[in-house]
Amino acid sequence: DQTTQIAQTVAGMTGAFITALVSVFFLVLLALTELGTWRDKMKALWPDPKGQDAWRDTMVTITARLRRFLLLRTIVGVLQAAL
């Protein structure tokens, strides 16, 4: 009947959400454990301070744009959910 179908849909959506959440959690943990190694690798690529500054400026710009994008997507998602 319809109640069973709704319950199955909710259970499936909940399972998918939990799976995505766990995946994101472990990817963030992986990224955090690689942070020091990644920084050392970038320093090895650009041993001169000028190259490191350019790389750092690029990362700051990309990070700021990504944060703005994610904020806007969150706002759009909230607005869509409200409608």
Side-chain angles (χ1 to χ4, degrees):
D1 71 352
Q2 191 171 2
T3 306
T4 304
Q5 185 179 12
I6 291 172
Q8 288 176 341
T9 303
V10 169
M13 293 173 85
T14 303
F17 177 75
I18 290 172
T19 301
L21 196 61
V22 168
S23 298
V24 167
F25 176 74
F26 282 111
L27 286 173
V28 168
L29 282 180
L30 178 64
L32 288 175
T33 60
E34 290 292 322
L35 182 63
T37 305
W38 188 75
R39 204 175 275 151
D40 292 340
K41 288 178 184 178
M42 292 296 112
K43 285 181 182 178
L45 283 174
W46 293 288
D48 64 324
K50 188 176 180 180
Q52 289 179 13
D53 290 340
W55 166 79
R56 193 172 297 114
D57 292 342
T58 302
M59 288 297 116
V60 167
T61 301
I62 290 171
T63 303
R65 289 181 181 180
L66 181 61
R67 284 182 182 151
R68 186 177 63 197
F69 169 77
L70 291 173
L71 177 65
L72 289 173
R73 283 296 300 149
T74 301
I75 291 169
V76 169
V78 168
L79 289 174
Q80 284 179 337
L83 297 176

